[in-house]
Amino acid sequence: MNSIQINRTAIQNFGHNPLQSRDTGHYKQEYIEAFVEKWDELIDWDARAESEGGFFIQVLKAQGKQRILDVSTGTGFHSVQLIRAGFDVTSVDGSAHMLIKAFENAKRRNLILNTVQADWRWLNKAIQGKYDAIICLGNSFTHLFDEMDRRRVLAEFYAALRYDGILILDQRNYDAILDVGYDCTHRYYYCGDRVVAEPEHVDPSLARFRYKFPDGSIFHLNMFPLRKNYVRKLITESGFPRVRTYGDFQEHYGEHDPDFFIHVAAKDAPGRNESGAGE
């Protein structure tokens, strides 16, 4: 495991006015150890594996991808699933606490993660070689508050991929939250049924989520509410000519129905999409 820098902050720090905390680098103060230790209660690994139904494994195998960069490892759920499925995985996260938890989770399952702590904005300085695919899951891209940071990160992702690589990036359905209000089913992503996760404040440039756990502890995350078509536009402008977007793992959906969108972007290989069929 690579050298990891630990921040032992005991509480989340959002300053005197939490609604003004809109900075890309702030995630390091949000994912404190106490919050990370409870994160798996929110995910529920078994329920999430069942809800995904092997979607990401199927997409990657359909394209013959083997070397995977999981850039938003979190507590390790997708890295572990992919390693079990036979993929060669490198696990990246900007949070040291997340990487430590992910390593422990994998070790309990008799697996060893290859972990790298890195800020996406300087991703290629921290990794080696090119990858067949990058996965950026768990709504992580919404921690980027500045458009130049988003464009820079997508350029870093593009550069880290082989010529025919693919990017899989997901996000909450912020269109629905902004347009009609929050009504998440928790069927697919955050499956823990004893954790209350809901927005405390939403405006065009901030979605502040509150997470209340069974023991009464409360944590928050500040994220940028990215609209679906805006993200698709950023991805294509970063050099990915084809993007297919799924709603809760389905090809056909109502725009406000899914809890999450999953974008699958092909870097090259003209005439082919992520499933291996023609466009």
Side-chain angles (χ1 to χ4, degrees):
M1 185 166 57
N2 296 55
S3 176
I4 293 178
Q5 299 179 1
I6 304 294
N7 182 346
R8 294 293 185 185
T9 304
I11 59 173
Q12 290 180 312
N13 180 13
F14 287 94
H16 296 297
N17 186 350
L19 299 185
Q20 295 304 313
S21 183
R22 308 182 186 204
D23 177 70
T24 293
H26 191 261
Y27 71 89
K28 294 179 181 179
Q29 298 179 58
E30 295 176 344
Y31 290 107
I32 60 172
E33 187 173 10
F35 191 18
V36 169
E37 282 298 319
K38 294 183 176 297
W39 193 253
D40 288 334
E41 295 180 45
L42 176 65
I43 293 176
D44 188 334
W45 281 38
D46 292 338
R48 183 158 181 175
E50 182 178 355
S51 70
E52 287 187 0
F55 175 87
F56 299 108
I57 292 170
Q58 292 166 17
V59 170
L60 293 168
K61 285 190 172 180
Q63 277 289 288
K65 305 309 179 189
Q66 176 60 27
R67 192 166 190 245
I68 315 300
L69 188 65
D70 179 1
V71 296
S72 51
T73 297
T75 56
F77 173 78
H78 285 106
S79 286
V80 166
Q81 301 302 312
L82 293 177
I83 292 171
R84 282 176 166 173
F87 294 96
D88 175 9
V89 180
T90 297
S91 305
V92 175
D93 205 286
S95 165
H97 294 302
M98 282 292 195
L99 285 178
I100 291 171
K101 185 66 174 179
F103 193 85
E104 292 172 350
N105 281 338
K107 190 174 181 180
R108 281 199 297 272
R109 293 164 173 82
N110 298 314
L111 299 172
I112 299 297
L113 294 189
N114 174 25
T115 62
V116 178
Q117 185 180 1
D119 187 307
W120 296 338
R121 292 170 290 184
W122 299 277
L123 177 66
N124 285 275
K125 292 182 179 180
I127 60 174
Q128 296 181 346
K130 303 287 186 179
Y131 291 81
D132 298 324
I134 291 175
I135 61 170
C136 180
L137 305 177
N139 196 45
S140 302
F141 196 68
T142 59
H143 283 299
L144 302 171
F145 276 86
D146 183 78
E147 179 166 324
M148 292 307 298
D149 283 339
R150 294 179 206 118
R151 292 184 180 277
R152 177 172 182 168
V153 166
L154 287 170
E156 289 286 317
F157 290 171
Y158 188 92
L161 287 167
R162 299 185 194 276
Y163 75 95
D164 61 348
I166 63 173
L167 168 66
I168 305 177
L169 183 152
D170 73 10
Q171 63 172 106
R172 279 190 182 273
N173 185 349
Y174 288 110
D175 291 75
I177 295 174
L178 289 166
D179 296 340
V180 299
Y182 180 75
D183 185 25
C184 182
T185 65
H186 295 286
R187 290 175 54 200
Y188 298 101
Y189 269 67
Y190 301 123
C191 301
D193 58 8
R194 300 178 62 211
V195 181
V196 179
E198 56 191 7
E200 191 173 77
H201 171 88
V202 178
D203 66 46
S205 62
L206 177 68
R208 178 171 170 80
F209 270 74
R210 177 180 184 267
Y211 302 83
K212 183 175 181 180
F213 291 85
D215 65 357
S217 59
I218 296 173
F219 299 93
H220 293 84
L221 289 177
N222 281 11
M223 294 167 285
F224 192 96
L226 297 164
R227 288 189 176 272
K228 182 192 74 171
N229 287 335
Y230 169 76
V231 174
R232 287 173 53 86
K233 178 175 180 286
L234 284 182
I235 293 173
T236 56
E237 289 179 353
S238 297
F240 296 89
R242 285 164 303 284
V243 182
R244 175 169 291 182
T245 300
Y246 297 82
D248 288 342
F249 313 113
Q250 305 299 315
E251 289 189 76
H252 305 289
Y253 52 87
E255 288 299 308
H256 289 157
D257 293 337
D259 292 336
F260 273 76
F261 293 122
I262 303 101
H263 309 289
V264 182
K267 181 174 180 178
D268 203 348
R272 295 173 62 84
N273 60 30
E274 71 280 354
S275 64
E279 288 281 344

